Amino acid sequence: MENNARIVAFRALERCEKDHAWSAVTLDSLLRETELPARDAALATRMFLGVLQNETYLDHYLDLFCRTRTEAALRAVLRLGAYQLLFLDKIPAHAAVSETVELCRSVRLDRGASLVNAVLRRLSENKDRLPPIPGEGSASFLAIRYSHPLWLAERLMREQGYHQTEAFFRANNETAPLCIQLNRLRVSTADYLRSLDRLGISYRIFPELPGCLELDGGKVTALPGFEEGLFYVQDRAARIAVHAAGVMPGMRILDACAAPGGKSMAAVLDARGDCRLTGCDLHEKKLRLILSSAKRLGLEDCLDTLAADARSFRPEWESSFDVVLADVPCSGLGVIRKRPEIRRKGEEELQALPQIQGAILDNLCRYVKPGGVLLYSTCTVLQAENRDQLSSFLQKHPDFSAEDFSVGGIHSADGCYSFWPQIDGTDGFFAAKLRRKTL
């Protein structure tokens, strides 16, 4: 493969389309294969993510000048060209058109070169007088303007209103900061900040959440102290949720849906390395990821792993754990800004999730000791997976009550908190703290 930013962006789009692969994994793999110079890698990344984030918007304007039905590969080329014309002001229009036509030939789509040339030239000529998206104030307007599924726009407008939905969609099209949590068993916050200062890496600290830092992107493995296990990657919302559970030294903890392991690491660190944590997942491969992270951080002595279905009862665990973490399978709609491919999900794909989540909660609550905590969390923003689940659980399990928490500058109401990127600067996330009543 030629070391060309546009080719890499195209190949990444092609793999995501064909294999339904994660965007970050796909792009990282291709960048390693091609060894692009830093500047070209940055351009490939921006074009790839930009197309995924703005797919519907780009198609809306491409369709004004292209009445021909195009195959998926050619449509990806057209989107790359349109993204350069409509979003990348530093690339001259003539260069965006000519380079995209050349891209057709480079990826063996010669038959489409004339079509790409004609469509992009017309888009370039009219880009300063494109007609506005129709229906401002409607769900269809939001779906096109911010390239989110129409069903999600309609649903969130019913639940949150128009302005909250628009703000959420807009935030999803921005670049998410890189959030890391320091391993304060190995490094102090002050010492790690000095290492960032020496390298000229900018950061944001959160005094109310010690050891939590936000950086403006960057390659995780290139940050100081990665190999030495001085930090791990975890969004601030997830870190706050674990901290809210109130893990203390000497506790026994179950992380029932543990992969990729961030919450397990957070719980062990809250216990200052003095606890026994069991991390479970359905798949052995994912468990290996958890163990790898624990070893890098020097926390493996506190951790056991087990392949297990969180819906299947294990009698030996009944009333055995001080804290049970239940970060359940969910629609993932709160992390669209990090995984833009999620916006391709259809509503029908998600219909079974509330039933699965309810079954997991009904099972896991039996493992909590009297006086212990069940922490329910998701990385989504839908009420059916969040507050509705909480209400249903409390109705079925009167031996539990919701307990308010105040952690990291966040103050819950009714024992739960819904995080929003446009409000909290975090992933879209939900956390509920449930305390089992003493006998």
Side-chain angles (χ1 to χ4, degrees):
M1 181 188 296
E2 181 183 351
N3 286 349
N4 180 284
R6 290 172 178 83
I7 293 176
V8 169
F10 169 80
R11 294 299 185 204
L13 290 170
E14 189 177 43
R15 286 189 189 180
C16 279
E17 180 76 24
K18 289 182 178 179
D19 303 333
H20 303 287
W22 287 16
S23 55
V25 173
T26 299
L27 184 63
D28 286 348
S29 175
L30 281 165
L31 291 177
R32 285 196 301 271
E33 289 174 20
T34 55
E35 298 182 347
L36 285 178
R39 182 176 178 181
D40 289 344
L43 178 59
T45 300
R46 184 168 182 186
M47 289 193 295
F48 168 61
L49 295 177
V51 168
L52 287 180
Q53 289 173 338
N54 296 281
E55 195 172 274
T56 307
Y57 179 86
L58 296 172
D59 283 350
H60 175 76
Y61 285 114
L62 282 169
D63 288 345
L64 296 178
F65 307 107
C66 182
R67 302 296 182 183
T68 304
R69 185 177 179 85
T70 55
E71 60 181 292
L74 195 58
R75 174 59 63 160
V77 170
L78 284 166
R79 288 169 180 161
L80 282 166
Y83 180 74
Q84 293 169 73
L85 289 170
L86 300 180
F87 289 89
L88 300 184
D89 295 337
K90 292 184 179 180
I91 297 179
H94 66 87
V97 174
S98 62
E99 290 290 344
T100 307
V101 172
E102 182 58 33
L103 173 63
C104 274
R105 301 189 176 99
S106 299
V107 296
R108 299 181 181 179
L109 291 171
D110 305 65
R111 62 191 180 281
S114 59
L115 174 67
V116 168
N117 184 60
V119 171
L120 293 184
R121 283 190 180 280
R122 291 193 64 195
L123 179 61
S124 175
E125 292 163 0
N126 292 278
K127 71 173 187 174
D128 295 326
R129 53 179 184 274
L130 292 172
I133 297 167
E136 187 169 0
S138 68
S140 62
F141 172 85
L142 294 181
I144 295 171
R145 174 62 186 84
Y146 299 102
S147 295
H148 283 62
L150 177 60
W151 72 264
L152 181 58
E154 292 172 340
R155 190 159 170 181
L156 285 182
M157 279 180 61
R158 290 195 301 269
E159 295 180 359
Q160 306 294 335
Y162 181 86
H163 295 296
Q164 174 82 325
T165 302
E166 182 175 29
F168 174 60
F169 284 5
R170 184 187 299 114
N172 285 342
N173 285 4
E174 297 171 355
T175 302
L178 173 63
C179 191
I180 64 172
Q181 310 298 332
L182 297 184
N183 179 357
R184 293 193 297 149
L185 298 178
R186 287 189 168 179
V187 67
S188 70
T189 301
D191 284 346
Y192 193 79
L193 293 182
R194 279 192 284 271
S195 70
L196 294 179
D197 289 336
R198 285 194 294 270
L199 295 171
I201 298 174
S202 60
Y203 53 82
R204 180 185 177 196
I205 62 173
F206 300 90
E208 68 279 7
L209 195 63
C212 177
L213 305 176
E214 279 186 357
L215 313 176
D216 294 328
K219 190 174 182 180
V220 173
T221 55
L223 291 174
F226 175 80
E227 294 294 341
E228 295 81 3
L230 301 190
F231 69 90
Y232 66 99
V233 176
Q234 185 180 45
D235 188 74
R236 184 160 45 95
R239 185 66 185 91
I240 288 172
V242 175
H243 201 43
V247 173
M248 301 292 289
M251 283 187 170
R252 188 180 181 200
I253 306 153
L254 173 65
D255 190 352
C257 307
K263 293 179 184 64
S264 294
M265 302 306 111
V268 173
L269 289 173
D270 277 352
R272 298 192 285 278
D274 178 17
C275 67
R276 192 79 243 154
L277 186 143
T278 302
C280 298
D281 196 88
L282 273 174
H283 308 289
E284 289 282 358
K285 181 179 179 180
K286 291 184 177 181
L287 293 177
R288 290 195 290 273
L289 292 175
I290 299 170
L291 285 172
S292 176
S293 294
K295 288 178 180 177
R296 184 177 64 83
L297 295 166
L299 305 176
E300 68 271 24
D301 290 344
C302 301
L303 183 68
D304 300 311
T305 59
L306 179 70
D309 188 332
R311 293 169 291 184
S312 298
F313 181 60
R314 302 180 69 90
E316 70 273 21
W317 286 357
E318 188 166 15
S319 300
S320 295
F321 293 93
D322 299 286
V323 172
V324 174
L325 305 177
D327 187 36
V328 299
C330 71
S331 56
L333 297 167
V335 294
I336 287 177
R337 63 178 182 166
K338 292 178 178 174
R339 292 183 55 196
E341 67 277 9
I342 288 175
R343 65 188 78 200
R344 293 177 174 176
K345 287 185 176 181
E347 188 171 18
E348 65 284 351
E349 297 178 59
L350 314 177
Q351 290 176 350
L353 285 170
Q355 184 177 356
I356 294 170
Q357 293 157 355
I360 290 174
L361 279 176
D362 289 341
N363 184 51
L364 295 182
C365 70
R366 294 188 282 180
Y367 301 152
V368 182
K369 289 180 179 178
V373 167
L374 171 62
L375 185 83
Y376 175 74
S377 62
T378 71
C379 55
T380 191
V381 294
L382 298 182
Q383 288 184 9
E385 300 178 66
N386 294 341
R387 287 183 179 271
D388 290 354
Q389 284 289 359
L390 175 60
S391 297
S392 176
F393 176 82
L394 291 174
Q395 287 176 5
K396 289 189 290 184
H397 300 280
D399 55 330
F400 279 82
S401 61
E403 181 174 293
D404 277 342
F405 54 88
S406 183
V407 176
I410 296 299
H411 309 283
S412 71
D414 303 321
C416 63
Y417 190 86
S418 296
F419 295 82
W420 292 87
Q422 72 275 18
I423 296 172
D424 303 293
T426 65
D427 289 343
F429 196 83
F430 177 81
K433 182 178 183 180
L434 304 163
R435 177 80 66 179
R436 188 171 188 180
K437 299 173 183 176
T438 55
L439 298 176

